[in-house]
Amino acid sequence: MQITASTVSLTVADVATSQAFLTAHLGYTVQAAADGFASLTRPDAVDIVLLARGTQVLPPEQRDRHADGLILAFTLAGGLQDQEKRLRDAGVEITMPLREEPWGERLFQITDPNGVIIQFVEWATPDDA
């Protein structure tokens, strides 16, 4: 098996608001979009497909599901504190403030307008831990 790309598909109430949020604040670009659908990409992260809840392209048992309990996590190569400040300054609500776990994980979370939790992570180096 040769995997050429990774994509996460999220069913949301309002595709346009998540699309605008992810392009404005996380640097995603739109690959394709139509009513109730958007495919977003950036070269250094997983692609994201947004589907409107209730869409007929999904099997009936999946149409009204929400990304509940899912955390979309991005590991950063540095600058975690700077990114939290940038997002806060842009008016994005930080739903879990920057913190460091005992095992060396530094992280914070934001939540998009449709309730999708987005987490940013930076790992402490052995010298930092």
Side-chain angles (χ1 to χ4, degrees):
M1 171 184 348
Q2 180 181 2
I3 297 174
T4 60
S6 296
T7 304
V8 62
S9 181
L10 304 172
T11 305
V12 296
D14 186 341
V15 169
T17 59
S18 283
Q19 176 183 325
F21 185 87
L22 293 166
T23 57
H25 299 298
L26 301 187
Y28 273 88
T29 58
V30 178
Q31 277 187 315
D35 186 35
F37 165 83
S39 176
L40 309 178
T41 190
R42 60 176 285 156
D44 59 349
V46 65
D47 291 345
I48 298 173
V49 167
L50 301 167
L51 294 171
R53 289 173 84 177
T55 187
Q56 299 296 308
V57 299
L58 292 173
E61 65 275 6
Q62 295 177 13
R63 291 179 187 163
D64 291 314
R65 295 177 96 178
H66 182 267
D68 191 38
L70 175 115
I71 297 174
L72 186 57
F74 297 103
T75 301
L76 305 182
L80 186 70
Q81 191 168 350
D82 294 338
Q83 291 304 316
E84 183 194 35
K85 182 180 181 332
R86 177 188 67 82
L87 290 164
R88 188 183 307 277
D89 290 349
V92 175
E93 180 184 359
I94 307 299
T95 51
M96 186 176 77
L98 183 65
R99 67 187 203 196
E100 185 168 338
E101 300 295 353
W103 52 88
E105 179 184 25
R106 296 182 187 118
L107 66 147
F108 73 92
Q109 292 179 348
I110 60 176
T111 303
D112 99 325
N114 280 295
V116 176
I117 299 168
I118 302 166
Q119 179 170 292
F120 298 93
V121 176
E122 180 180 83
W123 292 95
T125 62
D127 295 338
D128 295 339

